[in-house]
DNA sequence: ATTTTTATTGTGTTCGAGCACATTTTAACA
DNA sequence: TGTTAAAATGTGCTCGAACACAATAAAAAT
């Protein structure tokens, strides 16, 4: 049977004291070759699993983790992240970890930089952040790294050797899924990819989604679909899109690459004679409203709550269970329609 | 600040010994009214959270949980359950819990009864089971209950006051989702609900799904769809379905209420001129093959792995963290197509 | 008033790992 | 060979909760 061994057991089996076993296990040195061999022989033979209860009971050090996310006052997309992080906090509240949330204004680079400075001042053991601003995020991560602070990111991909882990979705694949759905919705015709660019930088997000979207149709039998791209900034958005649709009456499907599908829905809902297929992102209140009245056909769920949860727990578990942090964790891309929308709020 | 209090702290604050505090906390009696009052006053004032590490370190009792699931040799649907249970085992391996898996033959009531007897002989603290056989499951659960053994179920719903928890999906809603998908796939026409009944009993499953499916169309503008039901037992399945489709050429969509959509796909794939929309359940190898070649349009993912995982962890956490077991946990109903299928194997 | 019984309260050990410190062994050097 | 330095090894306390057992106080019985 798989008996549970303790350090004391190992010490007895190897004929040494538990202090020596401890030194071997933690590679603290000051062990003779002879003793090292004896202990290692035992260790090879049995499957020693340190008792994590005893360990964390003894350890008085409290690990500190800071999470940097955009303030949901600016964009409701981020609200679920708070819940995910709080779930993680709750789950591990008995352990020696402290998780602190720092909010920044997603429309302000300065706010991002400043918040990172605040985080740095609290000198945490690890930071989980949403790298919304490419350059500034890289700088911050570099600084953390130089101070021995672990950095993980989620939601937005960012390549850097100083990053321990990324949690998010495969955006290229996400675009392909949207394509497949629109393929089903309108069997042929013209589709426009709509990029509603906010002030802040999610260009990479949108680009990857567009690539995936186009990739799907390129590998399809030709002639059935025509794909266009339409970029628009927020202020002039309403009139511009209206004009665009009027001047392109062939358009039968729209793919909105951000969480702002409801804004598009608002416009096309005014013209109910001509149903335009609409696929967008994220389960915001506004989007769900138009999903339920079937102006929006499908929403793709990016699961920000779970992203934040997993990003947080992987750091926590790294500290208290010495678990390895997997460099990349890609979440399933959930397809949501009228019928299963409410399931994703659990 | 939210200081963490220990029993010693409480004892000092109340001016009694830690033994007395312990007796108050555990209601072991043998405490004078005076002391009781003093301790309770402190307890009201502060928020005492017992250190679970220390507790489980001291407790030598090992909790035993048995999980009863169908043998995946008979039906590959159950394979992921094993993985989910093993994930739970791994996650809590440092704690005082032992999780044991018992397999039974889903085609044999006798096997189910016998396995329950084996479980009973090992006198566990809790049992998680798939109540495939209605009457026998109720009997088993009644027996467990009388011996003080906690029973939880997953995958199949079953009503009994002796059941602590159910993990699964809302099958009615699941049927509605299938309906919505077929509504999109074929804008109008005749749809057949196909019940492929295995020897074992999942009639309730299928009935609920059918109800949800029909419910969706009943609330729709009339005249667009006609819904039929087709029941078939396995042996004669192939020829019967073929004949059925030939004699009902109006059928443009099929909803297979079990994981056997691939068997239907095999038949309709032979007649590629007439594309029939097909929606089924579960990410089996066989189903995925036909999903990828687009014979199957959508699969609904019942997430057996997560069901088993959550069923197991909720019992484990009940024992080691004294967490309450929520009586019902309904999982999201995932819509799967060619593009996001592989995401669900993580 | 003294002993006995009962009720109440306090003390000390345990769980396993981690680490400081004490002790022993070995090596280095005069 | 004796002395000192260095290396290796062992011992013992701690973390917080649980619980057995010892100790004390209060009540009851003689």
């Amino acid at each position: 049977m798989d008996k549970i061994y303790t350090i004391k057991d190992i010490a007895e089996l190897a004929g040494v004291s538990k202090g020596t076993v401890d030194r071997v296990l933690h590679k603290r040195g000051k062990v003779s070759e002879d003793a090292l061999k004896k202990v290692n022989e035992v260790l090879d033979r049995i499957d020693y699993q340190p008792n994590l209860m005893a360990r964390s009971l003894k350890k008085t050090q409290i690990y500190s983790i800071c999470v940097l996310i955009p303030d949901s006052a600016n964009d409701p997309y981020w609200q679920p992240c708070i819940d995910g992080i709080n779930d993680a906090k709750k789950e591990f509240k008995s352990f020696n970890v402290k998780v602190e949330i720092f909010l920044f204004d997603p429309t302000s680079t300065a706010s991002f930089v400043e918040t990172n400075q605040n985080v740095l001042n609290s000198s945490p053991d690890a930071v989980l952040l949403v790298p919304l601003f490419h350059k500034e995020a890289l700088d911050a991560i570099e600084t953390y790294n130089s101070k021995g602070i672990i950095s993980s990111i989620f939601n937005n991909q960012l390549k850097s050797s100083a990053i321990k882990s990324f949690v998010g979705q495969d955006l290229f694949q996400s675009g392909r899924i949207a394509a497949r759905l629109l393929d089903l919705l309108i069997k042929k015709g013209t589709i426009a990819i709509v990029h509603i660019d906010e002030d802040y930088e999610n260009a990479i997000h949108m680009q990857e989604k567009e690539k995936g979207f186009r990739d799907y149709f390129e590998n399809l039998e030709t002639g059935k679909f025509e794909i266009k791209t339409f970029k628009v900034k927020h202020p002039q958005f309403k009139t511009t899109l209206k004009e665009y649709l009027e001047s392109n009456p062939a358009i039968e499907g729209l793919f909105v690459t951000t969480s702002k599908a409801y804004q598009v829905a608002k416009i096309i809902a005014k013209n109910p004679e001509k149903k335009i297929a609409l696929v967008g992102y994220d389960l915001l209140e506004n989007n769900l409203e138009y999903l339920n009245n079937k102006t929006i056909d499908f929403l793709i769920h990016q699961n920000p709550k779970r992203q934040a949860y997993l990003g947080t727990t992987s750091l926590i578990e790294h500290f208290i269970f010495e678990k390895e942090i997997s460099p990349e964790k890609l979440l399933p891309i959930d397809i949501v329609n009228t019928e299963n929308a409410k399931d994703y709020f659990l």
Side-chain angles (χ1 to χ4, degrees), chain A:
Chain A
M1 267 286 290
D2 39 338
K3 173 174 157 42
I4 292 169
Y5 292 90
T6 69
I7 284 190
K8 214 176 123 198
D9 293 329
I10 298 171
E12 277 166 18
L13 286 168
V16 295
S17 75
K18 66 196 183 87
T20 304
V21 175
D22 181 71
R23 276 180 285 265
V24 172
L25 286 170
H26 292 88
K27 301 195 176 72
R28 284 199 236 278
K30 313 204 170 191
V31 176
S32 68
E33 273 184 44
D34 184 46
L36 185 71
K37 214 183 78 183
K38 284 195 287 184
V39 172
N40 276 331
E41 263 168 20
V42 176
L43 250 29
D44 287 344
R45 195 147 47 78
I46 66 164
D47 176 36
Y48 171 64
Q49 303 276 31
N51 185 314
L52 300 174
M53 307 299 113
R55 174 178 291 172
S56 85
L57 178 61
K58 186 62 184 56
K59 285 234 186 180
T60 46
Q61 182 188 359
I62 291 176
Y63 295 102
S64 155
I65 297 169
C66 294
V67 187
L68 259 106
I69 55 171
D71 193 338
S72 59
N74 299 77
D75 184 342
Y77 173 77
W78 303 105
Q79 183 51 49
C81 292
I82 308 266
D83 302 335
I85 296 160
N86 284 334
D87 280 1
K89 273 171 89 162
K90 214 169 128 195
E91 191 174 335
F92 291 95
K93 72 162 186 293
S94 321
F95 294 83
N96 318 320
V97 270
K98 201 187 69 187
V99 178
E100 228 175 324
I101 298 175
F102 288 75
L103 301 175
F104 63 88
D105 178 353
T107 65
S108 152
T109 313
S111 161
F112 180 74
V113 172
E114 189 195 331
T115 313
N116 269 295
Q117 190 55 51
N118 292 342
V119 166
L120 204 60
N121 291 340
S122 86
S123 51
D125 298 286
V127 178
L128 174 67
L129 58 94
V130 177
L132 221 48
F133 305 101
H134 190 85
K135 193 187 154 307
E136 289 75 12
L138 279 175
D139 285 353
I141 287 163
E142 205 49 66
T143 312
Y144 292 134
N145 195 42
S146 71
K147 306 227 173 195
I149 299 168
I150 293 174
S151 304
S152 289
I153 57 171
F154 76 98
N155 199 77
N156 296 55
Q157 182 61 283
L158 183 63
K159 298 286 180 189
S160 158
S161 59
I163 294 171
K164 267 269 168 175
S165 156
F166 165 67
V167 180
Q169 285 184 331
D170 181 338
L171 300 173
F172 182 87
Q173 195 61 35
S174 176
R176 281 190 58 98
I177 290 172
R180 172 89 176 117
L181 293 172
L182 278 161
D183 179 7
L184 277 163
L185 285 162
I186 65 169
K187 307 298 179 190
K188 56 174 190 259
T190 305
I191 301 174
I193 303 167
V194 180
H195 296 308
I196 301 178
D197 198 4
E198 292 292 317
D199 291 332
Y200 60 91
E201 183 57 55
N202 49 17
I204 300 163
H205 245 80
M206 303 188 308
Q207 279 166 31
E208 277 298 306
K209 287 170 182 170
E210 170 159 1
K211 274 187 206 163
F213 192 81
R214 287 185 176 274
D215 179 74
Y216 177 90
F217 287 109
E218 276 159 22
N219 295 324
L220 223 60
E221 104 190 59
T222 50
K224 282 173 76 179
F225 291 96
E226 188 189 354
I227 313 299
K228 298 187 173 190
T229 302
F230 177 64
K231 274 184 203 169
V232 65
K233 290 257 181 191
H234 191 54
Q236 323 84 335
F237 169 70
K238 220 167 169 173
T239 46
T240 325
L241 180 70
K242 212 170 177 177
E243 286 164 15
Y244 180 74
L245 290 176
E246 278 164 8
S247 60
N248 290 277
I251 287 177
E252 294 187 44
L254 292 172
F255 170 42
V256 181
T257 56
T258 65
S259 61
K260 313 293 176 195
Y262 64 91
Q263 297 182 343
V264 177
K266 203 179 288 175
I267 293 166
I268 65 174
K270 285 189 184 138
N271 190 6
E273 297 96 72
K274 191 192 170 195
K275 166 66 188 140
I276 295 179
L278 181 53
V279 174
Y281 281 89
D282 304 321
L283 308 185
L284 308 185
E285 286 277 359
N286 286 329
N287 283 338
L288 289 171
E289 190 188 318
Y290 287 106
L291 183 72
N292 283 330
N293 76 20
K294 300 189 181 174
T295 310
I296 295 176
D297 294 285
F298 284 106
L299 286 170
I300 292 172
H301 184 33
Q302 309 203 67
N303 220 333
K305 181 176 171 182
R306 193 153 176 80
Q307 286 190 29
Y309 172 81
L310 288 174
T312 309
T313 54
S314 82
L315 285 172
I316 296 176
E317 293 185 330
H318 171 253
F319 288 123
I320 60 181
F321 297 150
E322 293 177 350
K323 260 202 191 173
E324 259 190 87
I325 300 175
S326 63
E328 190 173 71
K329 171 89 182 162
L330 294 177
L331 297 189
I333 302 166
D334 296 316
I335 297 170
V336 176
N337 67 11
T338 33
E339 299 304 320
N340 67 341
K342 74 172 186 348
D343 297 346
Y344 289 99
F345 301 104
L346 298 176

